[in-house]
Each structure stands twice: as C-alpha cells, then as structure tokens.
Amino acid sequence: MDLRFLTEYYMPVVVVACLIVGYCVKHITWLEKVSNQYIPAVLAILWAVLACVANCQPGNYRLRGV
C-alpha cells in the first residue's frame, strides 16, 4: 500500500504543536475551566491557523486561480 499521498497533507510541526496544546489544556490546573468538549474545537482552529502559516511562502501571496 502506497501512503506517499499523505505527505501532501501531513505536517509534523502542526501535529506536534496540536498534541502539545491538547495535552496542556487537558492537564494544566488553571485551564480546567475549559471543558473536554471544547478541546477538539480549539485544536481544529489551531490546526487551521498553523497550517496556513506553515504553507505561507515569502513572496508568494497570489491567490490560486486568480
């Protein structure tokens, strides 16, 4: 089974950052106010922002298809 297509979507930096933030939100005492049901939403937003930043290349700000 060829899994090379996953490398287009897999960003290790983003995955590690989300894992660290998720762990911190779950285990830091002053963040106990954040319910467990909100952790996936927080990480989804963080993932989207980090993925956009990771894919941003200096000098390449044109929109695709425009």
Side-chain angles (χ1 to χ4, degrees):
M1 179 177 230
D2 188 22
L3 297 177
R4 278 187 258 156
F5 69 94
L6 288 176
T7 59
E8 294 179 29
Y9 306 107
Y10 175 70
M11 290 180 256
V13 173
V14 176
V15 172
V16 170
C18 287
L19 286 172
I20 291 170
V21 170
Y23 180 83
C24 290
V25 169
K26 181 77 174 168
H27 294 288
I28 292 178
T29 56
W30 58 273
L31 288 174
E32 287 179 354
K33 296 176 188 174
V34 178
S35 176
N36 285 342
Q37 68 183 8
Y38 297 121
I39 293 174
V42 169
L43 294 181
I45 293 168
L46 177 68
W47 168 80
V49 170
L50 289 177
C52 288
V53 170
N55 284 328
C56 181
Q57 297 174 358
N60 189 9
Y61 297 111
R62 287 189 52 186
L63 296 174
R64 290 184 186 177
V66 176

